[in-house]
Amino acid sequence: MATMKQVAEQAGVSTTTVSHVINNTRVVSEDVRARVLAVIGQLRYVPSAVARSLKNDRTHTIGMMVPNNSNPYFAEVIRGIEDAAFKLGYNIILCNSYDDPGKQVAYIRVLMEKRIDGLILVSSGTDAELARFLADDQIPVVLVDREISGVAADFIESDHALGGYLGTRYLLDLGHRSIACVSGPRELLTSRERVAGYQRALQEAGVAPRAEWLLYSDFTSAGGHAAFGQLLALPRRPSAVFAGNDLMAIGGICAASEAGVQIPGQLSVVGYDDIALAAYSNPPLTSIGQPKQEMGALTARILLERMRDPTLPWRRELLKPSLVVRKSTAPFPG
């Protein structure tokens, strides 16, 4: 790999002049600039981002930590953040914690060592070490979707309780009264808020919840498949299910098919997140759409504002979900 010294020698100038040409930090004559740029192209010289960051105290790099980017929801949020950051001149380093709080802290340390300018964090759960680590470090942080107790930071989330309410309310409006809920992990606040919205809709409609119709699993298709299997094995089956995310709903539709239960003729299903795959499941999935692109762009913008001015007041943004109706739901067949 070519060095700045080699570029300078071949162009017949000093390394300082090459630096000024690359960084536009001083006026250089047009013929010298052209000669230096020609040599850079010939040698395929790539300036060292690390060296420039040491000089400027900026890497123009943002770290991002998510629980698992194999979940399409996180992948779509990441895309929104990456698109917005790229337009603003920043690159993204992405780390996956795979829902392991311990691995989450280890990766955040690695990101700090890379001299990132800011951090976007979708937490995999919190512990005292993570809270202390983020509180002690001065790097700007934006929390997305999941707040961390004891950490003062900008926070962006979707209204999960409203989403749970909208999905359940829609099933009630279709005439269903036997409505189950397959939730994500009980320890996650997002899961509990969606369940709270489900319960509020039932309460407003005067429908008594049944304990055996509220199940907790993980946010995967396998988790949804197992939970739906439990529901369909009950002596009294629900006529509709509100699922904590689309992956769980799609796994549940597979379980229903294996059990000979028709969707939506015998069982209506509502998912959550409105991932791209939801429109192509069989049948296409009714879902609660999260404003993923808006969330990504807003997250990147708020982090850059915080990086430019750390004294700004903390921001809390609550985005509104919406109902997206497809073919996995139908009126109660009674």
Side-chain angles (χ1 to χ4, degrees):
M1 181 179 292
T3 66
M4 183 182 291
K5 183 178 179 181
Q6 290 172 321
V7 172
E9 288 175 349
Q10 190 157 328
V13 298
S14 68
T15 54
T16 302
T17 299
V18 175
S19 176
H20 288 314
V21 170
I22 293 170
N23 298 303
N24 291 313
T25 48
R26 196 182 72 185
V27 176
V28 177
S29 66
E30 285 304 318
D31 62 324
V32 171
R33 177 180 294 276
R35 190 162 72 249
V36 170
L37 292 177
V39 173
I40 287 174
Q42 180 183 344
L43 298 181
R44 297 181 180 177
Y45 169 67
V46 179
S48 169
V50 173
R52 294 169 76 178
S53 70
L54 290 172
K55 180 179 179 180
N56 303 323
D57 199 30
R58 282 285 184 272
T59 62
H60 285 85
T61 302
I62 294 170
M64 183 169 183
M65 171 69 66
V66 297
N68 192 339
N69 75 340
S70 65
N71 182 326
Y73 166 69
F74 292 122
E76 292 173 28
V77 171
I78 291 165
R79 179 177 178 179
I81 291 172
E82 191 171 22
D83 287 348
F86 184 79
K87 290 176 183 176
L88 295 168
Y90 283 80
N91 300 310
I92 300 288
I93 298 179
L94 176 66
C95 292
N96 286 282
S97 63
Y98 298 104
D99 296 304
D100 182 343
K103 185 175 288 186
Q104 176 175 250
V105 173
Y107 273 137
I108 290 175
R109 290 183 186 277
V110 171
L111 290 171
M112 300 301 186
E113 291 170 3
K114 299 293 184 183
R115 295 176 58 87
I116 56 174
D117 297 331
L119 174 66
I120 296 169
L121 174 60
V122 186
S123 174
S124 299
T126 184
D127 55 26
E129 184 182 5
L130 174 63
R132 281 196 307 270
F133 186 70
L134 293 177
D136 291 343
D137 201 277
Q138 299 301 310
I139 191 168
V141 178
V142 174
L143 303 177
V144 179
D145 234 15
R146 303 170 184 180
E147 201 163 16
I148 298 176
S149 177
V151 176
D154 298 301
F155 179 51
I156 301 169
E157 69 170 336
S158 178
D159 192 336
H160 301 288
L162 176 60
Y165 177 86
L166 290 175
T168 310
R169 181 74 257 175
Y170 175 66
L171 292 170
L172 289 164
D173 290 343
L174 290 174
H176 294 278
R177 292 297 180 269
S178 303
I179 304 173
C181 176
V182 173
S183 172
R186 190 192 302 263
E187 65 271 14
L188 288 181
L189 180 59
T190 52
S191 298
R192 299 197 300 272
E193 288 177 343
R194 294 173 191 182
V195 170
Y198 156 79
Q199 293 172 331
R200 179 165 72 91
L202 293 183
Q203 183 179 23
E204 286 184 4
V207 176
R210 296 177 65 93
E212 67 271 26
W213 285 353
L214 174 56
L215 301 180
Y216 292 89
S217 188
D218 56 18
F219 281 134
T220 65
S221 295
H225 185 279
F228 271 64
Q230 286 182 248
L231 290 172
L232 296 174
L234 293 173
R236 181 182 174 187
R237 294 177 174 176
S239 67
V241 179
F242 168 63
N245 77 352
D246 289 345
L247 290 180
M248 300 174 82
I250 290 170
I253 288 174
C254 180
S257 176
E258 292 170 359
V261 175
Q262 296 177 0
I263 307 289
Q266 295 172 289
L267 184 70
S268 286
V269 179
V270 173
Y272 203 109
D273 290 336
D274 191 33
I275 60 175
L277 183 62
Y280 302 97
S281 66
N282 186 22
L285 180 65
T286 295
S287 183
I288 300 300
Q290 296 213 64
K292 298 178 287 293
Q293 199 70 21
E294 179 187 354
M295 180 179 290
L298 182 62
T299 299
R301 189 167 68 249
I302 288 177
L303 180 60
L304 264 62
E305 290 173 358
R306 174 66 53 193
M307 286 156 49
R308 293 180 186 127
D309 186 357
T311 66
L312 289 171
W314 299 118
R315 291 182 60 174
R316 298 180 64 88
E317 300 288 343
L318 185 64
L319 305 181
K320 301 298 183 185
S322 59
L323 176 69
V324 181
V325 177
R326 297 193 180 94
K327 296 183 179 180
S328 65
T329 47
F332 177 68

